[in-house]
Amino acid sequence: MTDLHQNAPDMPFSFEPVKIKEGEEYMSLPQRLHIKEILTNWKQSLMSGVDDTVLHMKDDAANYPDPNDRASQESDFSIELRTRDRERKLIKKIDEALRNLESEDYGYCEDCGTEIGIRRLEARPTANLCIDCKTRDEIREKQMASG
């Protein structure tokens, strides 16, 4: 198996890249099923993390007499909750990608309409911009932040 999650650190699993046959149409049924499996596995993984957090916070919640210990625990819980909030937003993006996949709107740049590309989608399944439009957006953001 090829470990592709190095490009998307939120994806804690590996998958075999889809094999594209010569002349195969972009976003063919095998490609859509492949992406759907990636998105579904990613969502399930994130959802299990939510359950783990709830259990962890229940089990580890203690009223430490030492203020430093209490502050450390509160800081840990705060970081964990921020992480889960970020994951909750990511789950919404995954759900949107799954809806777009079902309606066959998935895989095309929202700005210019070109194909995003199957390899980019494997690396970042929630991508909604082609690499050129994403690069342009990032340059624009940097210019606005520094100007």
Side-chain angles (χ1 to χ4, degrees):
M1 267 196 179
T2 304
D3 187 16
L4 290 181
H5 74 273
Q6 63 198 6
N7 294 329
D10 300 320
M11 294 188 334
F13 55 87
S14 298
F15 56 87
E16 190 71 32
V18 69
K19 302 224 183 321
I20 301 170
K21 299 177 183 119
E22 189 174 330
E24 183 176 6
E25 185 179 322
Y26 180 68
M27 283 290 114
S28 64
L29 181 60
Q31 292 173 16
R32 289 195 318 268
L33 291 173
H34 174 69
I35 295 294
K36 183 176 182 176
E37 182 180 5
I38 292 171
L39 288 165
T40 303
N41 288 342
W42 195 8
K43 182 178 176 179
Q44 287 172 348
S45 176
L46 292 169
M47 296 297 287
S48 73
V50 170
D51 295 339
D52 292 345
T53 296
V54 171
L55 290 174
H56 172 256
M57 292 181 86
K58 281 183 182 177
D59 292 345
D60 290 356
N63 192 4
Y64 293 111
D66 180 30
N68 291 326
D69 290 340
R70 258 194 326 272
S72 178
Q73 181 185 45
E74 288 175 17
S75 177
D76 290 347
F77 283 177
S78 176
I79 290 169
E80 198 160 343
L81 288 172
R82 278 196 308 262
T83 300
R84 294 301 164 230
D85 185 54
R86 183 175 159 268
E87 290 174 347
R88 181 185 56 78
K89 291 174 184 171
L90 184 53
I91 288 169
K92 284 184 178 182
K93 284 185 172 185
I94 292 170
D95 286 340
E96 180 182 347
L98 286 166
R99 280 190 302 276
N100 287 340
L101 194 60
E102 290 299 317
S103 67
E104 298 186 12
D105 292 330
Y106 181 83
Y108 298 91
C109 180
E110 288 182 359
D111 281 357
C112 69
T114 63
E115 297 175 357
I116 292 174
I118 194 71
R119 297 299 175 225
R120 175 163 163 68
L121 293 170
E122 284 178 324
R124 180 57 64 190
T126 56
N128 56 2
L129 297 174
C130 69
I131 197 69
D132 291 338
C133 289
K134 182 67 176 169
T135 302
R136 188 181 61 241
D137 277 2
E138 289 174 355
I139 290 169
R140 193 175 13 236
E141 283 177 22
K142 284 181 185 176
Q143 288 173 341
M144 290 174 61
S146 65

